[in-house]
Amino acid sequence: MFNLEKPVRYISTRGVAPELDFDDVLITGLARDGGLYVPKEWPRFSKAEIESMKSLTYSELAVKIMEPFIGDNIPTDDFIALVHKTYSRFQHSAIAPLKQLENNLWLLELFHGPTLAFKDYAMQILGGLFDEALRRRGKRTTIVGATSGDTGSAAIEACKNREAIDIFILFPKGRVSSIQQRQMTTVDAPNVHTIALEGTFDDCQDMVKSLFNDLEYRDKYNLSAVNSINWARLLPQIIYYFWAALAVGAPDRKVAFSVPSGNFGNIFSAYAAESLGLPIEKLIIATNKNDILSRFFNSGIMEIREVQPSLSPSMDIQVSSNFERLLFDLCDRDGPVTKGILDDFRSKGTFNIKMDILNQSADMFSAVGVDDKATLDRIQNTYRSTGETIDPHSAVGLEAAHQARSFGSLSPELPIISLACAHPAKFPDPVKEATGSYPILPAQLDDLLKRPEKVTVLPNDFKTVSSYIADNTNV
Ligand SMILES: *Cc1c(COP(=O)(O)O)cnc(C)c1O
């Protein structure tokens, strides 16, 4: 058992910001030196402890895994109640059901939360924890976030109507699907503000970073982040990796995961699960045609190119914020070295990691880029051979799983769990193109297209955006 007297503490990947406990990391988000918080040390579950997790429900497993990371800031009974309440609102009684597609190939469905994408699994917990922590401190906060689609609606659903929170979500104008946009802009709550920024997702993300890096502004409006730069977003994602691996035979059997990746948040949680002792043989980083991550893992060269719109818009990202957390480990947890590499990357748009350093991680990761045609083909093949309708993001993951099996070194005996990150109804057009029919919108979104929208269009300009937020927050 972990010693809760000594819960996990957190350090910044840039090595300068102070070491914090969970509550402060939760509220701070991005570290004050521009880095990201990571556990100072990874706790490790023994094989016997992992074995004993097999009998737990999803919520019980969630408590078991998250407890050592959270410590005693929140009373244990309150935490347990929060977790149970959160997941009891999900639409499927298994919370994260596994569907077998073929021998040794499974789909892990992570779209049974309120906004139909995997981000609900963490964001709903985060919203509850935030509310608790702020109430205890008698404070208010301004949450500012950038979204390429799903984060925004998940964050809004998790924060709407909460007393102590004003939330501002920036999304790239015209680059999210109409369903994604409406899931954000039709929420009728006075503390919710949506901004359509004239730019790309990377512009939105840079804008949020600039707001946070203006320390005076940040303090004045008590800014917080719910992007996956916030450690509290990654923590609850670890649960479903344990959940799925246990279901297919861990800890006696090793497993592989294929993870549709954009900001490297979801797959970093898989890496965290492995660090906690879960026997993972391989993590497949599945990217769309914005394949900076797969090019990097195959060459050691991280090189920015233009973001190209694809059929899986939530992965249309060039600069993956959470990659910094892995880079920190690859640099032997040396903050200044990590910072040097990233500063270089900012100014030159490229950096190069020696292959021998990269090879440390090559054992664990392999990376596959999947273009739009292969994405559509995978949706179609899956539909024809199994009857399952999958969304384009899930299809990227599944196609990468197939390629890793066919061309990589993965044994046919190794179970691969491919993550289904969004409900197909969120991306009706490509699904129709591939299968011939529109996916059915679940009941909770029935009248989405009829609800009125509330959204403000702003130029990609720091002054305009920062004043808009200042004028509209109650902090
Ligand atoms: C956010 C998202 C991704 C990318 O996840 P990261 O954690 O950013 O790597 C993939 N698919 C869907 C459907 C998403 O919403």
Side-chain angles (χ1 to χ4, degrees):
M1 278 301 286
F2 291 112
N3 182 357
L4 285 181
E5 310 280 299
K6 272 189 67 190
V8 171
R9 306 224 2 122
Y10 298 87
I11 54 173
S12 163
T13 49
R14 308 257 172 121
V16 177
E19 185 180 314
L20 299 180
D21 68 5
F22 180 81
D23 252 25
D24 285 325
V25 167
L26 170 71
I27 288 173
T28 307
L30 191 66
R32 295 185 80 85
D33 56 7
L36 307 186
Y37 276 105
V38 287
K40 189 176 179 187
E41 277 162 42
W42 292 108
R44 254 185 113 78
F45 292 106
S46 68
K47 189 172 177 198
E49 276 176 308
I50 295 176
E51 193 75 51
S52 74
M53 292 175 183
K54 284 185 172 170
S55 60
L56 303 180
T57 64
Y58 193 90
S59 294
E60 288 166 346
L61 183 65
V63 170
K64 172 95 184 159
I65 290 170
M66 290 194 285
E67 229 175 3
F69 288 95
I70 289 182
D72 51 9
N73 279 322
I74 167 167
T76 306
D77 288 347
D78 292 357
F79 179 57
I80 292 173
L82 188 157
V83 169
H84 283 262
K85 190 172 152 208
T86 299
Y87 293 123
S88 69
R89 287 195 298 246
F90 280 46
Q91 298 290 320
H92 195 294
S93 59
I95 315 296
L98 268 179
K99 278 200 180 136
Q100 185 156 14
L101 297 180
E102 288 174 19
N103 189 30
N104 284 328
L105 181 64
W106 283 266
L107 206 56
L108 176 62
E109 289 186 356
L110 298 173
F111 50 71
H112 297 285
T115 71
L116 310 176
F118 81 90
K119 294 187 173 79
D120 289 328
Y121 288 72
M123 199 70 88
Q124 290 284 318
I125 296 280
L126 177 81
L129 287 172
F130 233 104
D131 197 42
E132 277 270 345
L134 289 164
R135 262 194 310 145
R136 278 196 308 275
R137 294 174 183 213
K139 276 184 143 183
R140 290 191 64 85
T141 188
T142 308
I143 289 180
V144 183
T147 186
S148 54
D150 292 330
T151 316
S153 52
I156 287 169
E157 277 299 325
C159 296
K160 68 179 182 191
N161 295 322
R162 293 206 195 263
E163 276 286 301
I165 296 175
D166 287 290
I167 178 166
F168 294 81
I169 294 296
L170 283 72
F171 66 87
K173 182 170 177 259
R175 291 184 189 236
V176 301
S177 81
S178 67
I179 290 183
Q180 285 181 314
Q181 171 159 339
R182 290 188 145 267
Q183 280 186 302
M184 296 187 272
T185 56
T186 63
V187 173
D188 184 23
N191 69 332
V192 170
H193 309 269
T194 51
I195 298 171
L197 194 78
E198 291 170 330
T200 64
F201 169 64
D202 286 338
D203 294 330
C204 294
Q205 192 156 254
D206 283 345
M207 182 67 71
V208 171
K209 279 212 166 189
S210 308
L211 292 165
F212 275 85
N213 286 332
D214 182 339
L215 297 184
E216 202 183 312
Y217 185 88
R218 172 177 177 170
D219 288 341
K220 182 160 179 205
Y221 298 106
N222 202 14
L223 296 195
S224 304
V226 294
N227 270 38
S228 55
I229 53 177
N230 194 314
W231 164 251
R233 275 283 305 285
L234 303 190
L235 177 60
Q237 294 175 173
I238 299 172
I239 302 155
Y240 49 71
Y241 290 104
F242 273 81
W243 174 255
L246 288 164
V248 305
D252 300 315
R253 205 175 173 206
K254 284 195 155 193
V255 301
F257 288 98
S258 182
V259 185
S261 294
N263 231 341
F264 210 75
N266 203 358
I267 196 150
F268 189 84
S269 297
Y271 171 82
E274 201 270 340
S275 303
L276 290 180
L278 191 67
I280 297 177
E281 166 101 15
K282 194 59 96 182
L283 292 174
I284 302 160
I285 303 166
T287 58
N288 63 26
K289 63 182 160 190
N290 295 290
D291 58 351
I292 184 170
L293 286 170
S294 46
R295 282 184 284 120
F296 172 75
F297 277 92
N298 293 313
S299 69
I301 300 166
M302 184 73 95
E303 184 201 14
I304 300 193
R305 294 185 188 160
E306 280 278 291
V307 181
Q308 294 180 37
S310 78
L311 295 178
S312 43
S314 298
M315 295 153 64
D316 288 348
I317 292 170
Q318 285 292 326
V319 183
S320 304
S321 313
N322 279 292
F323 177 75
E324 178 165 345
R325 291 186 153 106
L326 180 67
L327 184 65
F328 181 60
D329 276 6
L330 293 178
C331 297
D332 291 324
R333 308 201 119 206
D334 186 321
V337 169
T338 308
K339 179 176 186 310
I341 292 176
L342 290 164
D343 285 348
D344 245 27
F345 186 47
R346 274 277 143 199
S347 59
K348 297 190 198 129
T350 176
F351 73 79
N352 200 336
I353 291 248
K354 292 197 193 74
M355 279 315 268
D356 56 330
I357 298 179
L358 194 60
N359 284 340
Q360 294 172 16
S361 72
D363 276 353
M364 172 56 54
F365 293 101
S366 58
V368 181
V370 176
D371 64 17
D372 281 349
K373 171 154 192 330
T375 304
L376 288 173
D377 287 350
R378 181 51 60 190
I379 297 175
Q380 185 175 68
N381 283 340
T382 306
Y383 183 67
R384 288 197 180 147
S385 62
T386 69
E388 288 297 324
T389 305
I390 58 174
D391 101 288
H393 303 78
S394 310
V396 167
L398 197 54
E399 173 62 19
H402 277 273
Q403 288 193 23
R405 181 92 87 195
S406 310
F407 310 119
S409 53
L410 299 191
S411 126
E413 304 305 319
L414 180 69
I416 304 182
I417 298 160
S418 193
L419 272 56
C421 291
H423 192 288
K426 291 189 87 165
F427 303 94
D429 295 333
V431 170
K432 162 94 167 30
E433 190 179 341
T435 66
S437 44
Y438 281 115
I440 299 160
L441 206 60
Q444 68 210 90
L445 296 184
D446 255 358
D447 63 341
L448 189 68
L449 298 175
K450 298 193 198 93
R451 295 177 210 157
E453 283 193 274
K454 191 180 106 184
V455 59
T456 305
V457 178
L458 293 180
N460 182 17
D461 171 64
F462 181 80
K463 264 212 147 118
T464 314
V465 175
S466 59
S467 337
Y468 176 81
I469 293 172
D471 293 344
N472 287 283
T473 180
N474 289 305
V475 172

